[in-house]
Each structure stands twice: as C-alpha cells, then as structure tokens.
Amino acid sequence: MKNICFCIQMHAPYRLKRYRFFEIGQDHYYYDDSETEERISWLVENSFMPLCQTLKEMIRLSKGKFHCALAISGSILEVFEQFTPEMIDVLRELAESKCVEFLATPYAYSLVAEYNENDFRDQLEKQEKVISDLFGVKPTTVCNAELLYSDEIAFNLQKWGYKVAMTEGAKHVLSWKSPNYMYQSAASAKMKVLVRNTALSDELAFHFSDPNWVNFPMDAEKYAKALAALPEDEELVNIWLGAETFGGRQRAETGIFDFLKALPYYALENGIGFVTPAEAAKKMPAKDVLSVPYPLTWAGEAKDLSIYAGNDLQQEAINKLYNVAERVHLCSDKRLKRDWLMLQDVNYLHFMNHIDQGATNYESAYDAFINYMNILSDFLQLVDEQYPTTIENEELNSLLKTINGQEKEIARLEKELKEKKAAKEPKAKK
C-alpha cells in the first residue's frame, strides 16, 4: 500500500533590533519585541492557526486515518507563549489526537549540527523536553533545521539513540534512486532515513498558484491521482513543507487550505494511506543504503550550506559565534547563555546571503551582517568579561573537566539518594 508521509516545519525567528556601533557595551538587549510580535501575529492569524485548524479537520473527517508530523523549534514555542498563547492550545489539541508525531529539531533552529556536536545534542534534548512538557509526547525522529543532514550527523544521531532521520531528495545524492523508498544510512545500519520528494513537495510550496505551471490549476483529486500513478513498489511519498507555505507563500485565496482539507478523502479513495516518519520506519524495511558524505539541506539549487555559509560575511559570523562555545558553557549567566542560543538561528545567516535573503527588512546582505556583528561584538564582550580570551586553552579545558566532574558527581549522589529513599519506603501490601 502506498503511503504519504506529510511533514511540516514550523519556525520563525526573534527579530533583531537595529543595533548601532555606538551601542556596543551600552545596550545588552538585542531583540525587537514589537516587530517580533507583529510578524508572529500575522503568521499565526494567516498561516499557522488556519493550518492547525485544517489539520484537525483532516483528522476528524478521515476518522483518524490522516496522520502527519510537525517539527517545531523550541524558540518559536517561546514566541508563541509570549505573544500568541492560543497556538500552544491548538498544538495541544493536535497532540491529543494521537495522529500527529512531534519531531526532534534543534531548539534554536540552528546549523549547530555542522559546527558543534555536543551543542547539537544539547539543543535536541532541550527541544525534546519542551515538547514533552507542553504536549506530553517524546520526539524520537530527527528533522534537522533546513533538513541539514550528512553521514557524520547520522552517525552522531544513532550514537545518541535515535533510529530515524529525515533528509532532502537531492538529485546529486539520489542519482538514479527514487525518493519514494525507505533507506538506511551509510554511517549506521541502525539508522533509517526518509527522503523528501522534492518535486511533489515544491509543487505545493512554490507552484500551487502559478498560472504558468504545467499542472495548474492543481486540486486534491488531481494530486492524489498523480501519487497513485507512481510505480507500485514506491510505497512511501514524503511531502515536507514549511508551515508558512499555507497562508503565507500560498495565500488562503489560492485555495491552498481547501486543497489540504480535501487531500485525505481523495488519497484514501485512491488506496493511499498516511503515516508519520516513526510509523513508516517501524513498518517498512530499508530498500537500499543512502550515502551523504557532505552536508545536505533543502535550500537553493545546490541543496547544501551555501545559502547560509557560502560567503565571507557568513563565515565570519559563524566563526565568531561558535569559537566562544566553551566559554559560554563555563558562564553562570543564564541570560548570556540564552542569547548565545538565540543568536544561532539560521535565519540571521540567511539574511546575509547576496542572492536570496529570505523574508528580511535589511537593505542588503552587508546591512544584515553589520547589524548582526554589532550585536555579536557586544555579546562577545560580555563573554570575555566572565572568561577572558587571555585564558589559555589548557586552563579552559581544565575548568571544563572540573565542571563536568562536579556535574557527574552531583548526578551520582542524587541517584544514590533516590535509591536510599526508595529502599526505606514500605512495600505495598499484596
């Protein structure tokens, strides 16, 4: 039986305020709350909320046969709680349906997987905890920011206990292979890999309302028939999109929400079911091995990191930011640690791209770079005040070992105390 794995990534960054050179050392708050609220309110009203309500309707009308996945960053959940708490409520309702899988993704929607292995794990764990606390579910499938993936990332994920990862169906990686199969990572036989069907996903994301597109106008019946016409043995079609596709890039008047609502009916009529990534990995064996030796994303023509790290401006920002990782971890200042986390958002790097800056108010890539680097300069000064750059690496490593040793000892003592308390408690009578 053919199945659709429908996945939506939901994220929007905190907007950075205009930060001038003379403010360095004077102003330590970097965010434009007014602009952030205005942007997120628009997205919630026009995109995120109608999308979630439509997903609820799809589950109801299909009598629970429609299943999907959501990859929601921890930072946007913070934004929701601060400015639009009604989004938390509707996401809880989706979680309660048991038809939605919540995926693990970096808390700050960052490219940390490429630059700092330990912090990548920390961000996944931090996001998982928030998902668990808010919605009562534990993510087990990893959907990295911008679908960032490589064999090295897959190896780390399996080392940490994950068994399913998601990546882009780039032609230079797949070659003659179809994206419509379950794959096994070349880095680990234990890691299953789902591959996005780029053509069918982008048809909705970028071409749905394009009158010049070959399949225009697109409707749910036509789309379902196209899926049903795929080779019989291609049993898994991965349709993954950014949440802003619905009501944002494709406005409501294009009929995108009506299309979505009707899709389960026509899919089921054509013998097509719906699965989440975890469900697909559980029921489908891997057909082949997938090797991804270099970082892969879903962005741009090259499907690599060039949109985010392809020019000197972006490289300068990335190097400055991640070079202080160890010093930030030594700090006790919670606000400093939070700023370091938030400043990793991939959108800030995207804004520095000369070709495609994304949704930004900056006049140019250089304008975005100068604003970000002014903020980063102030931030780095604050880090240097706590752990100066004059501290040698050997001394820094010694401090890290001491702190790690203390943390392990505390964890051991807490476990020992818990066991002693449990031993003293009277056993329940049979």
Side-chain angles (χ1 to χ4, degrees):
M1 179 180 179
K2 203 177 299 297
N3 288 279
I4 299 172
C5 178
F6 195 78
C7 173
I8 296 166
Q9 279 198 344
M10 188 177 290
H11 174 71
Y14 277 98
R15 293 286 173 159
L16 299 177
K17 68 183 180 184
R18 284 288 176 171
Y19 195 94
R20 311 298 179 186
F21 177 79
F22 62 80
E23 294 176 280
I24 297 173
Q26 306 298 319
D27 182 1
H28 307 313
Y29 190 76
Y30 311 133
Y31 314 101
D32 188 329
D33 290 337
S34 177
E35 189 178 337
T36 300
E37 182 177 12
E38 182 179 345
R39 176 62 179 165
I40 201 63
S41 295
W42 189 94
L43 281 171
V44 166
E45 180 181 352
N46 293 280
S47 178
F48 298 167
M49 183 60 75
L51 171 60
C52 289
Q53 296 293 1
T54 301
L55 294 177
K56 284 171 56 182
E57 273 293 281
M58 294 163 75
I59 292 168
R60 184 184 68 81
L61 292 172
S62 67
K63 294 182 170 58
K65 292 180 181 178
F66 172 72
H67 288 194
C68 68
L70 293 175
I72 309 175
S73 69
S75 57
I76 199 173
L77 288 171
E78 282 190 24
V79 174
F80 288 156
E81 289 186 301
Q82 185 176 357
F83 299 115
T84 56
E86 63 271 20
M87 273 303 299
I88 301 296
D89 295 333
V90 75
L91 289 169
R92 280 200 178 103
E93 292 171 6
L94 285 171
E96 289 167 1
S97 73
K98 307 298 182 186
C99 295
V100 177
E101 179 184 358
F102 286 78
L103 308 176
T105 196
Y107 188 92
Y109 201 74
S110 68
L111 302 179
V112 66
E114 182 65 16
Y115 300 108
N116 193 305
E117 176 186 327
N118 292 331
D119 285 315
F120 179 39
R121 184 178 186 181
D122 289 345
Q123 283 202 35
L124 289 177
E125 290 179 346
K126 185 176 177 66
Q127 186 259 0
E128 287 175 25
K129 185 178 187 308
V130 172
I131 293 291
S132 178
D133 290 345
L134 288 176
F135 310 123
V137 293
K138 177 176 172 50
T140 58
T141 300
V142 177
C143 178
N144 207 352
E146 305 295 277
L147 285 184
L148 174 59
Y149 178 87
S150 68
D151 290 339
E152 182 180 359
I153 290 172
F155 177 79
N156 288 331
L157 292 176
Q158 66 83 27
K159 184 171 62 177
W160 302 330
Y162 297 101
K163 295 181 180 179
V164 189
M166 302 162 68
T167 191
E168 172 69 4
K171 290 181 181 179
H172 68 277
V173 169
L174 286 173
S175 185
W176 53 269
K177 297 176 183 176
S178 167
N180 304 327
Y181 293 115
M182 179 68 67
Y183 287 95
Q184 170 191 308
S185 169
S188 171
K190 297 179 181 179
M191 177 64 69
K192 285 188 173 180
V193 183
L194 283 74
V195 180
R196 178 177 180 257
N197 188 308
T198 306
L200 288 170
S201 298
D202 286 355
E203 184 153 34
L204 301 184
F206 301 106
H207 305 299
F208 183 80
S209 59
D210 181 3
N212 298 315
W213 184 243
V214 63
N215 290 323
F216 182 86
M218 175 59 71
D219 59 46
E221 183 177 11
K222 186 192 295 185
Y223 194 76
K225 285 181 177 178
L227 297 181
L230 291 169
E232 188 176 344
D233 65 330
E234 295 187 4
E235 56 185 353
L236 181 63
V237 186
N238 297 302
I239 309 298
W240 306 339
L241 307 145
E244 68 283 352
T245 294
F246 304 94
R249 186 179 295 114
Q250 305 296 337
R251 299 299 176 93
E253 53 267 27
T254 66
I256 190 69
F257 290 112
D258 294 330
F259 166 90
L260 196 57
K261 190 182 295 185
L263 185 58
Y265 173 82
Y266 288 108
L268 294 167
E269 190 177 60
N270 281 276
I272 302 171
F274 291 88
V275 292
T276 66
E279 290 169 345
K282 188 174 182 180
K283 67 194 295 188
M284 299 177 188
K287 294 283 188 179
D288 204 345
V289 174
L290 188 70
S291 177
V292 185
Y294 303 106
L296 181 69
T297 73
W298 68 358
E301 291 292 328
K303 304 295 184 185
D304 57 14
L305 286 170
S306 57
I307 291 288
Y308 319 105
N311 65 42
D312 292 342
L313 305 181
Q314 294 163 320
Q315 284 294 323
E316 174 75 7
I318 288 168
N319 291 335
K320 291 283 188 183
L321 181 66
Y322 285 107
N323 279 347
V324 295
E326 291 182 342
R327 286 175 165 78
V328 171
H329 291 316
L330 286 171
C331 295
S332 58
D333 189 330
K334 291 183 179 179
R335 178 174 165 181
L336 202 65
K337 288 187 174 184
R338 182 182 180 278
D339 285 338
W340 187 73
L341 187 64
M342 294 303 159
L343 288 173
Q344 294 180 52
D345 193 304
V346 68
N347 285 275
Y348 304 145
L349 297 172
H350 195 175
F351 297 159
M352 299 176 203
N353 185 274
H354 292 299
I355 300 170
D356 173 21
Q357 286 185 271
T360 173
N361 293 330
Y362 295 109
E363 295 178 3
S364 66
Y366 187 71
D367 185 32
F369 170 75
I370 290 297
N371 196 71
Y372 183 83
M373 292 306 289
N374 284 341
I375 289 172
L376 194 57
S377 294
D378 181 80
F379 172 78
L380 295 177
Q381 280 188 13
L382 295 178
V383 174
D384 193 51
E385 286 174 7
Q386 295 204 31
Y387 288 94
T389 52
T390 53
I391 297 179
E392 298 294 333
N393 285 337
E394 288 185 8
E395 187 179 351
L396 189 64
N397 289 333
S398 177
L399 285 168
L400 282 171
K401 286 180 181 178
T402 300
I403 290 172
N404 289 334
Q406 289 173 342
E407 289 177 349
K408 288 179 181 178
E409 180 64 12
I410 290 170
R412 185 189 69 78
L413 292 172
E414 286 178 345
K415 182 180 178 182
E416 189 177 302
L417 181 61
K418 188 176 180 181
E419 290 173 350
K420 286 182 178 179
K421 284 183 177 180
K424 289 181 180 179
E425 290 178 358
K427 294 181 180 180
K429 294 181 180 180
K430 294 183 179 180

